[in-house]
Amino acid sequence: MLEDTPMIRDLVDWAREHRTSLHQDIEIYQDPLTGLSFRAAKSLPQATKIVNCSYQITLSYLNAISASSVFQNHKSVLFPPGFINALKQEDPNIIGHFFLVQQFLMREKSFWSPYIKLLPQPNEPERLAIPNWWPEADRQFLDGTNAEPPIKKREELWRGEWSKGVALLRERFENWEEYTYPLYQWAATIFGSRSFRASLTIPDGLMEQSETPPDDRSLTLDHIKKDRFSVLLPLMDIGNHSGVNQVDWLPDAIGGHFSLSIRNTIAEGSQIFNYYGNKSNSELLVAYGFLLPNPENDKVNLKLTPSPDGMQLRRSQSCHVFHEHTQAEQEFMFHVKTSNGEAGLQELLKSFSEGFMDTMICMVASARERKFIIENPGYCIEKDAAPFGGPLSRAFIHAVSLICKKLQYEMERTEISGANLGEPKNQNQRIALGYRHNQLRVLEAVLDRAVNYLQRAISFNHLCSHNSPRSEANDKANFLSLECAFGWLQMDYRREHDAVMKLIAKDQEEPLPLNWAAVIEDWDRTYWIVWILLLWMLWLRNPDEFQAGYLNDLWRWQSDWYSDFQAEKGKPGSQLTGTLYASASEEATIDDTIQGITQLPGLGFDQGPLQRLDFRTEITNYISYLVKEETVLLPYTMQHPPQKGAQTPQLMLYISLNSSRYSSRNNF
């Protein structure tokens, strides 16, 4: 049964005349939401073929070049050889777009006239639907969202393609002036919103009938394999998208047709949907002009820009998958979505598309971590059931922290860009506003999950007393704040702590008790170096105190680092010898503080190898490198007055509590 309109009848009659069939129990109707649609007039069993589309009525680049007896141009005027030859190597899609414009201009003389008349026309922007055809007032509702960049990119791409094609047609082709940009934009929109991938629709067997030269045939087969152009399938493209794949695409080279078959029984009166692929609402809005109500389709794109070194490191991992025919800018484009599971690390990781976290790790990896990744290309943190506590724990927490900042930035940017939009006045604006709200909902949900995990991971350590919950990962990895580190010194080495605090307070011109929130604004790295040097002094004074418990773990971690540092320093060309990783002002403060500590009376620091300038310099240089490599700027919540409860960004020190487990792999 067909809706009683002449154009639909003409399309179906034309299609049948050319060996294309519509199942007798399928009707074409006008749905108020989806437009022209397929509907079951009777209940249909699974595996029913809804449409059998003959390859003879398909429209694509193949027809423009008369690729075979199946893909003919049907008496269309041939484009100039210079036009075809210049574009066929890299841009066959442009040829296909110009060919559709040609058919539109031919009107009733075109073989595809019954099909083209039923398409949204160039003067019907409301039917073309996609945001590129929206009025500027409607487009503004998408400013600052994920949809804005690809919309602009499409416009730039299409204009560039049209200019390239018209330059080749100019003065060489009759009526070339009629091939205007609006018509090219229309043709590109039709292909972008209605076409099928060539690799999934055109079987190699169809090209066996080609009479083109072998090199041209090989080039065409390569274009098909790599989807360098797409194919319009009249009648079949009426099927809409619901987000659920309930159909099979069945190419048949011998039968000469492409079929759409249902996977499950369809009840009478139900719409029958095609499947456009696993697309997010961002992709659907930009390419098709609609959204799906399913929250799983709401994804926010996150583009990463690794440095050349980070890019090379990521590509060295066996879990990095990048197809050569994918556009280069897509290699490091990812997305974030909400997860329906309970709070936890694995659910957080599920919020990000595959490869996102491993790419972030490669971007923030220290020298030690880079070496581990290079030597273990099969290790990818996304496949580790317990990434925090593993060999890349520091980089993992660093990555989570940067992710929080990126999500916060994206939220603020989206909110600011939409602050003055007002109430929507039409359907386009309502769609755009709903899309914007969904983007914010995703960002907020994932940000909350990431922040909560980050705070849990860095709030507990074995050195300080606090009320933060402990996780199994904390038995393998701790992050220390300076407030905590010196607080431990106060509990276990009160005399030493008080004497050192007086030195620091004097240097900083701060009253006691020291306000660490003020000190860390500029001097957190300096006093981490001082604190680890204090560990050395305490150990040199009485090594037996470091033989058990957490102090043993702490010293073993530090000792492993020192052994590796010494080994690296001895290698030819090493950059570590004689280098202090601190500014000139920090160097002066470090020297003055350490010299002051070694001269404190009655603490036992006035004897031992640290009294020797050469040894003290060597140890200080080593510790400065450790601090550079193993600290991360994190949002730590202060635990003591006067800034108690304030979240203050500061360098926190990562300590691996099972360093010997990774010592053979932790080398620089």
Side-chain angles (χ1 to χ4, degrees):
M1 181 187 301
L2 306 177
E3 181 156 305
D4 191 19
T5 67
M7 287 196 296
I8 293 178
R9 286 199 305 271
D10 288 348
L11 172 64
V12 175
D13 289 345
W14 168 77
R16 285 173 175 163
E17 181 182 348
H18 297 283
R19 301 176 58 209
T20 294
S21 61
L22 180 70
H23 192 279
Q24 61 182 5
D25 294 325
I26 298 298
E27 60 182 5
I28 300 174
Y29 76 107
Q30 188 75 27
D31 185 272
L33 293 178
T34 59
L36 282 183
S37 310
F38 290 134
R39 181 167 58 195
K42 294 181 181 179
S43 179
L44 298 172
Q46 66 180 44
T48 299
K49 292 182 178 179
I50 304 304
V51 182
N52 294 313
C53 181
S54 169
Y55 287 110
Q56 293 181 357
I57 70 168
T58 62
L59 191 158
S60 71
Y61 157 75
L62 298 176
N63 301 97
I65 65 169
S66 296
S68 74
S69 59
V70 175
F71 303 106
Q72 300 181 38
N73 71 2
H74 295 282
K75 300 181 180 180
S76 303
V77 176
L78 297 176
F79 288 121
F83 174 84
I84 298 293
N85 291 333
L87 296 173
K88 71 179 183 180
Q89 294 291 332
E90 301 293 337
D91 299 302
N93 60 308
I94 298 178
I95 298 174
H97 295 169
F98 272 92
F99 186 72
L100 178 56
V101 172
Q102 181 187 55
Q103 302 310 305
F104 175 82
L105 293 172
M106 289 172 65
R107 306 295 180 183
E108 297 293 337
K109 295 180 180 179
S110 170
F111 169 75
W112 290 274
S113 175
Y115 170 63
I116 293 174
K117 285 192 295 185
L118 201 57
L119 294 173
Q121 299 298 290
N123 62 351
E124 297 177 318
E126 70 285 351
R127 287 186 64 203
L128 288 163
I130 69 170
N132 287 88
W133 291 85
W134 289 5
E136 183 59 31
D138 297 352
R139 286 264 296 271
Q140 288 179 357
F141 275 70
L142 293 174
D143 288 351
T145 69
N146 267 183
E148 183 185 14
I151 291 169
K152 291 182 176 179
K153 182 179 177 182
R154 278 188 160 212
E155 181 72 22
E156 294 170 359
L157 176 68
W158 290 346
R159 283 196 176 275
E161 291 177 345
W162 171 74
S163 297
K164 191 174 186 178
V166 164
L168 294 167
L169 288 182
R170 184 175 286 112
E171 310 299 344
R172 300 183 182 91
F173 192 64
E174 184 179 358
N175 300 326
W176 66 270
E177 303 95 334
E178 296 182 14
Y179 290 75
T180 62
Y181 175 69
L183 285 184
Y184 185 88
Q185 183 186 26
W186 167 80
T189 300
I190 294 299
F191 269 100
S193 61
R194 308 182 72 89
S195 65
F196 292 65
R197 289 173 56 185
S199 63
L200 300 179
T201 54
I202 308 296
D204 291 350
L206 288 177
M207 299 309 299
E208 293 177 358
Q209 305 173 44
S210 175
E211 297 180 358
T212 58
D215 287 348
D216 285 350
R217 184 162 60 249
S218 296
L219 178 63
T220 300
L221 287 172
D222 190 58
H223 287 335
I224 293 172
K225 177 183 177 182
K226 295 180 179 177
D227 287 316
R228 293 198 182 103
F229 68 91
S230 55
V231 183
L232 292 172
L233 300 176
L235 191 62
M236 187 172 288
D237 62 3
I238 288 176
N240 298 302
H241 177 73
S242 68
V244 179
N245 190 1
Q246 59 181 4
V247 297
D248 289 309
W249 293 1
L250 306 173
D252 182 355
I254 297 176
H257 57 255
F258 183 82
S259 300
L260 185 69
S261 174
I262 57 174
R263 292 181 175 178
N264 304 303
T265 300
I266 300 293
E268 178 181 348
S270 299
Q271 183 172 169
I272 301 172
F273 291 94
N274 196 350
Y275 183 66
Y276 298 175
N278 184 21
K279 298 185 181 297
S280 68
N281 271 335
S282 294
E283 294 172 293
L284 293 174
L285 176 60
V286 172
Y288 305 97
F290 69 87
L291 303 174
L292 291 177
N294 190 343
E296 292 183 1
N297 287 90
D298 294 321
K299 302 175 183 178
V300 179
N301 292 336
L302 297 176
K303 183 176 177 61
L304 299 181
T305 54
S307 67
D309 286 344
M311 201 177 298
Q312 183 179 10
L313 185 63
R314 177 63 180 132
R315 289 170 178 168
S316 73
Q317 294 182 289
S318 59
C319 60
H320 178 60
V321 179
F322 180 63
H323 303 289
E324 60 176 297
H325 60 277
T326 305
Q327 293 182 351
E329 64 267 22
Q330 296 299 313
E331 182 176 5
F332 297 108
M333 178 67 78
F334 303 95
H335 67 254
V336 57
K337 63 179 182 179
T338 56
S339 174
N340 296 324
E342 298 179 359
L345 175 56
Q346 293 305 317
E347 291 304 318
L348 173 62
L349 293 178
K350 289 178 184 177
S351 299
F352 303 102
S353 55
E354 183 177 0
F356 176 77
M357 186 61 73
D358 278 303
T359 302
M360 287 290 299
I361 295 294
C362 291
M363 292 172 64
V364 302
S366 65
R368 171 185 64 83
E369 292 158 344
R370 286 182 60 83
K371 190 169 191 298
F372 174 83
I373 293 171
I374 291 170
E375 293 180 350
N376 299 270
Y379 178 83
C380 292
I381 208 160
E382 292 176 16
K383 298 180 180 179
D384 191 334
F388 182 44
L392 299 177
S393 295
R394 188 212 68 88
F396 178 72
I397 292 300
H398 192 178
V400 174
S401 176
L402 293 181
I403 289 168
C404 290
K405 292 179 181 179
K406 187 170 183 63
L407 294 174
Q408 183 67 45
Y409 168 77
E410 293 294 336
M411 273 188 62
E412 292 175 354
R413 186 174 63 86
T414 304
E415 289 172 340
I416 292 171
S417 63
N420 300 315
L421 288 176
E423 292 297 318
K425 298 179 180 179
N426 56 46
Q427 182 63 8
N428 289 345
Q429 294 180 8
R430 283 188 287 272
I431 290 174
L433 197 60
Y435 172 75
R436 178 184 291 276
H437 289 162
N438 289 341
Q439 294 252 295
L440 286 170
R441 176 180 54 79
V442 170
L443 290 168
E444 183 177 9
V446 180
L447 176 61
D448 286 346
R449 192 183 290 269
V451 167
N452 288 336
Y453 175 78
L454 180 64
Q455 289 303 314
R456 289 199 308 272
I458 69 174
S459 294
F460 179 91
N461 64 72
H462 293 272
L463 202 62
C464 302
S465 59
H466 41 61
N467 298 319
S468 303
R470 169 182 174 180
S471 68
E472 291 182 6
N474 292 131
D475 291 333
K476 300 178 181 179
N478 282 183
F479 279 87
L480 300 184
S481 67
L482 272 172
E483 179 187 51
C484 165
F486 280 91
W488 160 79
L489 193 68
Q490 182 180 24
M491 289 188 295
D492 287 13
Y493 296 92
R494 184 61 179 262
R495 289 177 59 234
E496 293 83 347
H497 168 270
D498 291 349
V500 171
M501 286 299 99
K502 288 179 181 178
L503 289 175
I504 295 176
K506 181 179 179 181
D507 179 77
Q508 293 293 317
E509 299 180 349
E510 290 279 346
L512 289 172
L514 206 60
N515 179 5
W516 281 109
V519 174
I520 60 177
E521 288 184 7
D522 298 306
W523 299 97
D524 45 4
R525 177 170 54 184
T526 299
Y527 290 111
W528 271 124
I529 295 173
V530 169
W531 184 78
I532 297 174
L533 269 165
L534 269 170
L535 284 184
W536 270 81
M537 293 179 185
L538 292 169
W539 180 80
L540 288 168
R541 188 181 70 180
N542 187 357
D544 291 341
E545 293 179 350
F546 289 76
Q547 294 302 310
Y550 187 79
L551 279 182
N552 177 262
D553 291 334
L554 189 61
W555 188 252
R556 185 174 57 175
W557 161 79
Q558 193 278 141
S559 297
D560 287 342
W561 252 97
Y562 184 58
S563 297
D564 291 337
F565 179 86
Q566 291 288 81
E568 179 67 19
K569 189 180 69 171
K571 293 179 180 179
S574 173
Q575 301 297 313
L576 299 182
T577 303
T579 301
L580 178 70
Y581 293 89
S583 66
S585 59
E586 288 175 319
E587 181 177 2
T589 299
I590 293 166
D591 287 344
D592 291 345
T593 304
I594 296 304
Q595 187 173 359
I597 293 173
T598 59
Q599 295 174 359
L600 289 171
L603 297 181
F605 294 152
D606 55 350
Q607 298 178 6
L610 281 176
Q611 290 294 322
R612 299 198 328 260
L613 179 61
D614 59 339
F615 184 71
R616 188 165 72 239
T617 300
E618 176 187 328
I619 295 301
T620 304
N621 290 348
Y622 144 68
I623 291 174
S624 72
Y625 185 74
L626 185 156
V627 169
K628 180 181 84 71
E629 290 287 289
E630 294 294 87
T631 54
V632 182
L633 186 65
L634 295 171
Y636 175 74
T637 302
M638 304 301 293
Q639 300 296 309
H640 300 287
Q643 296 294 325
K644 184 177 181 179
Q647 195 172 89
T648 309
Q650 57 190 277
L651 289 178
M652 297 186 71
L653 180 66
Y654 165 69
I655 297 176
S656 171
L657 301 183
N658 54 351
S659 57
S660 60
R661 175 182 171 189
Y662 300 114
S663 60
S664 63
R665 300 182 290 181
N666 271 2
N667 298 335
F668 296 99

